[in-house]
Amino acid sequence: MDAKKAAGEKAAEYISDGMRIGLGTGSTVYWTILRIGELVKEGLRIEAVPTSVQTEKLAREAGIPLLPFARLQAPLDLTVDGADEVSPKDELIKGGGGALLREKMIASFSDRFIVVVDHSKCVPELGRFPLPVEVVPFGWEMTSKQLGQMGCEPVLRMKEGAPFVTDNGNYVIDCRFGSIPNAGELTVELNKLPGVVENGLFVNMADLIVVGHSDGTVRTKSGS
Ligand SMILES: O=C(CO)[C@H](O)[C@H](O)COP(=O)(O)O
């Protein structure tokens, strides 16, 4: 069995009737969304907030009732999302799909945040995956230079020959740090740069990590 499918489907087991949930973005949570769609068809009553236009489309196709984030009166019960790297301290790099800002906003407004990954995402230290940083298009060259001065190699993300544009109309600069020994400090420093909207470090946010393996088994680990 596909490791991503195993992890993604497992996370759907944490969803119960009446919940309002956040739906992440990517090829692992894809399986969670499909499974939730099946459960909805079987009678599960939930409402969901998507973290991207891509997920909104998928959730609609799966028949999942949607709720606008702006209308929430209280935190979501649960958000399920993928990650690009997970450290032994359960710190994450996210944003490989470019949805990091909405993902962070929605995970932050959730009582519980479940992360679904295949085993290859669990690393001894964050930083081999280039850290996505969402920046405003105005003066991005200057922001990129400032990011470079923080010890990384910054590269503007491109798509089909033009800068990749997020659902929020911003750019993404992928920052190759190589090693991120202190994610908590780095996330604060990055967000101090005026041109930065948000960065892909998720620190002290994950409540449960669901790790899928290629033999179809799944291990869960409580977030620290
Ligand atoms: O942060 C994300 C999108 O912005 C994704 O969750 C992350 O890139 C992991 O994706 P996948 O499950 O496809 O490997």
Side-chain angles (χ1 to χ4, degrees):
M1 191 196 218
D2 183 89
K4 290 188 180 208
K5 185 170 190 262
E9 289 184 346
K10 176 74 185 170
E13 292 176 16
Y14 294 87
I15 295 162
S16 51
D17 214 41
M19 278 189 170
R20 289 162 316 126
I21 60 174
L23 297 175
T25 299
S27 57
T28 315
V29 76
Y30 165 86
W31 295 105
T32 314
I33 296 168
L34 290 198
R35 182 69 194 121
I36 295 170
E38 288 172 4
L39 294 170
V40 166
K41 285 191 185 89
E42 289 165 20
L44 179 77
R45 285 165 306 141
I46 54 132
E47 288 181 302
V49 177
T51 56
S52 63
V53 172
Q54 179 194 319
T55 290
E56 180 174 343
K57 183 169 177 287
L58 180 64
R60 276 191 204 288
E61 285 165 6
I64 300 172
L66 297 178
L67 188 63
F69 184 58
R71 281 233 234 105
L72 293 179
Q73 302 290 332
L76 293 164
D77 294 292
L78 175 70
T79 286
V80 182
D81 203 349
D84 300 296
E85 282 187 347
V86 181
S87 79
K89 290 188 274 182
D90 303 322
E91 296 164 338
L92 317 173
I93 286 184
K94 286 188 47 54
L100 63 118
L101 174 59
R102 294 189 191 187
E103 289 173 338
K104 200 179 267 192
M105 289 174 73
I106 291 169
S108 299
F109 201 60
S110 302
D111 286 340
R112 201 156 182 230
F113 181 37
I114 296 184
V115 179
V116 287
V117 289
D118 67 84
H119 57 94
S120 72
K121 305 288 186 65
C122 300
V123 296
E125 185 178 68
L126 296 182
R128 225 182 313 150
F129 189 90
L131 175 67
V133 179
E134 182 157 346
V135 303
V136 292
F138 174 78
W140 71 265
E141 299 90 337
M142 195 59 74
T143 306
S144 182
K145 222 174 277 173
Q146 291 172 312
L147 288 168
Q149 286 161 0
M150 294 177 71
C152 68
E153 185 194 318
V155 176
L156 181 70
R157 191 179 295 184
M158 302 291 286
K159 191 179 173 188
E160 292 158 10
F164 169 84
V165 179
T166 69
D167 289 346
N168 318 299
N170 295 314
Y171 291 171
V172 171
I173 297 178
D174 291 306
C175 298
R176 194 172 288 281
F177 279 94
S179 151
I180 300 178
N182 197 332
E185 275 174 26
L186 183 60
T187 188
V188 171
E189 290 309 308
L190 288 167
N191 286 5
K192 278 185 191 164
L193 288 180
V196 167
V197 180
E198 190 49 86
N199 74 84
L201 287 169
F202 284 47
V203 179
N204 292 330
M205 289 181 67
D207 294 301
L208 187 75
I209 315 286
V210 179
V211 185
H213 295 263
S214 35
D215 62 0
T217 58
V218 172
R219 277 186 216 132
T220 57
K221 180 173 173 274
S222 294
S224 38

